[in-house]
Amino acid sequence: MPGSDEILDRYSEECPLTREEAVTILNTPDDHLRELVRKAGELRRKYKGNKVSVQLLTNVRSGNCSQDCAYCAQSCRSEADIEKYRSIPDEKLYADNRTVNEKHLARHCIGLSGISFTDNEISELADRIREMKKSGTHICCSIGFLTEKQARMLRDAGLDRINHNLNTSRRYYPNICSTHTCEQRIENIRMLRRVGFEICCGGIIGMGETVEDAADMLLDIREISPESVPINFLLPIKGTRLAEQEPPKLTAEYCTKVLCLARLMMPKADIRCAAGREVYFAGREETLFGIVDSIFAAGYLTAGGQGIDDTLRLIASLGYDGKIESTGG
Ligand code: SF4
């Protein structure tokens, strides 16, 4: 079996990596990491230039979800100390949307906890999306399982993209969630694609899965061919099941290999370093932005993050451009 150097030498975009090759890349010895980062960097520059897409995330509905996802502070099984609400006030949502435009960020991501929604709830959400689309914002919505009718209601309101993560491999999924399956997620994404949405689909690394599981998840994501691939590195939240189980700790090197593999497998996609960036890549931002072209600013759903201005300054100081000129404002 060839090693990671040999796989990189013969890498071609026309010849997708096999499962074995993907696993080998994730097992790259740490002292060979530089070559891997260089290869991923070539693809990043080829397709993304020096752009970094910065997203702002607003949690429109928080907590009380019926599902038992082991990492999630919003699950009703979690005892995490988070704010819970059914719907964020219009003023806060629209103020965040104005910030996206004023700061020339790439996108406004809105998240709703919960797995299913009534048509009335979707109709109300569609009205809010319609309002925000008046200023030309590119909007992505992270939401549970929609019916096709509901997906069309959001599409008609102008919603551009939907985030639905696979989170882990099909094999490992039952260890993480017992209330729905990975296949249900994949089916939902297929329907969203048919309806015409751009797809954002990624996962979480560090939940106790094997290297093979991480590779399998990325292979499934590659099948979906999403426009955007957010990779989260677990930050266990006190009160969630995973925080009690204390899965093995991640290293910055392994996190780097996962992002490089995502870039090699989906060179044209937005590869986003989502949760965990400020922890696992602290002091390694130059390497990070050489691989990924997308990050969140100012927090994740239930965990804080770096402020927007600090994030934009950091991006500029490394020679990248974090402002999207086409966004309103
Ligand atoms: S990840 Fe989504 S579906 Fe799972 S518990 Fe959290 S809000 Fe619910």
Side-chain angles (χ1 to χ4, degrees):
M1 176 66 200
S4 55
D5 287 349
E6 206 179 313
I7 292 169
L8 292 179
D9 280 347
R10 66 176 193 218
Y11 173 85
S12 150
E13 287 178 57
E14 285 70 49
C15 191
L17 292 179
T18 64
R19 179 179 193 262
E20 269 190 327
E21 289 171 334
V23 170
T24 304
I25 292 289
L26 290 180
N27 283 324
T28 300
D30 287 352
D31 56 0
H32 289 226
L33 192 49
R34 186 187 294 234
E35 270 311 290
L36 178 56
V37 169
R38 193 191 54 75
K39 190 74 198 172
E42 276 175 24
L43 296 165
R44 188 252 192 262
R45 276 189 301 281
K46 178 175 174 186
Y47 289 111
K48 304 295 174 181
N50 74 336
K51 286 279 175 194
V52 177
S53 297
V54 182
Q55 265 91 208
L56 181 70
L57 181 54
T58 305
N59 206 6
V60 169
R61 174 184 292 190
S62 177
N64 292 322
C65 178
S66 62
Q67 305 299 292
D68 68 353
C69 305
Y71 52 86
C72 184
Q74 307 203 69
S75 163
C76 61
R77 317 274 172 100
S78 133
E79 289 170 2
D81 183 18
I82 60 162
E83 208 184 336
K84 295 175 185 162
Y85 48 86
R86 273 194 74 74
S87 187
I88 203 167
D90 280 349
E91 305 82 69
K92 161 74 177 145
L93 179 63
Y94 298 152
D96 280 1
N97 201 61
R98 273 195 302 280
T99 300
V100 170
N101 294 326
E102 284 163 11
K103 305 274 180 194
H104 298 280
L105 306 185
R107 195 166 292 107
H108 191 184
C109 301
I110 55 177
L112 287 87
S113 62
I115 200 71
S116 64
F117 299 80
T118 65
D119 287 354
N120 277 346
E121 287 170 327
I122 296 297
S123 172
E124 280 168 26
L125 179 62
D127 286 344
R128 296 172 114 185
I129 289 169
R130 223 172 254 117
E131 182 62 32
M132 291 189 285
K133 285 301 292 182
K134 284 181 187 165
S135 53
T137 323
H138 191 280
I139 301 176
C140 177
C141 184
S142 182
I143 195 164
F145 297 135
L146 296 176
T147 63
E148 188 157 340
K149 175 184 172 194
Q150 292 172 344
R152 289 189 190 284
M153 287 162 75
L154 296 181
R155 189 78 193 103
D156 291 346
L159 180 64
D160 302 279
R161 181 177 288 191
I162 292 201
N163 162 259
H164 206 79
N165 290 336
L166 295 194
N167 292 328
T168 191
S169 69
R170 296 176 199 233
R171 185 199 73 83
Y172 197 63
Y173 209 87
N175 296 79
I176 296 301
C177 176
S178 69
T179 45
H180 63 266
T181 64
C182 193
E183 282 71 19
Q184 279 177 283
R185 284 187 174 253
I186 292 171
E187 269 311 302
N188 187 63
I189 293 166
R190 288 203 183 110
M191 178 275 289
L192 295 169
R193 190 57 112 186
R194 273 200 311 277
V195 169
F197 285 109
E198 295 175 11
I199 300 295
C200 171
C201 178
I204 307 172
I205 299 294
M207 299 194 290
E209 76 285 347
T210 63
V211 167
E212 287 77 10
D213 287 317
D216 285 340
M217 176 188 79
L218 285 171
L219 288 160
D220 270 334
I221 293 174
R222 184 175 69 185
E223 269 302 300
I224 289 163
S225 188
E227 279 75 13
S228 167
V229 182
I231 304 291
N232 297 275
F233 298 102
L234 184 72
L235 299 172
I237 300 173
K238 195 162 173 262
T240 60
R241 183 155 55 89
L242 276 185
E244 285 159 30
Q245 286 174 3
E246 289 191 39
K249 293 226 172 355
L250 292 168
T251 65
E253 288 79 11
Y254 182 66
C255 297
T256 304
K257 291 170 203 173
V258 173
L259 294 175
C260 287
L261 177 60
R263 176 63 72 200
L264 295 181
M265 290 175 74
M266 293 165 276
K268 295 179 190 168
D270 292 352
I271 305 292
R272 179 174 321 122
C273 184
R277 171 173 66 87
E278 294 92 337
V279 172
Y280 298 107
F281 290 93
R284 295 169 182 255
E285 289 84 0
E286 199 169 351
T287 302
L288 176 68
F289 286 115
I291 306 163
V292 309
D293 62 295
S294 179
I295 58 169
F296 279 118
Y300 308 98
L301 287 174
T302 57
Q306 206 173 23
I308 297 172
D309 291 331
D310 283 353
T311 303
L312 291 174
R313 265 194 294 275
L314 172 71
I315 290 168
S317 74
L318 294 169
Y320 292 97
D321 183 359
K323 293 189 173 178
I324 303 296
E325 295 310 329
S326 60
T327 305

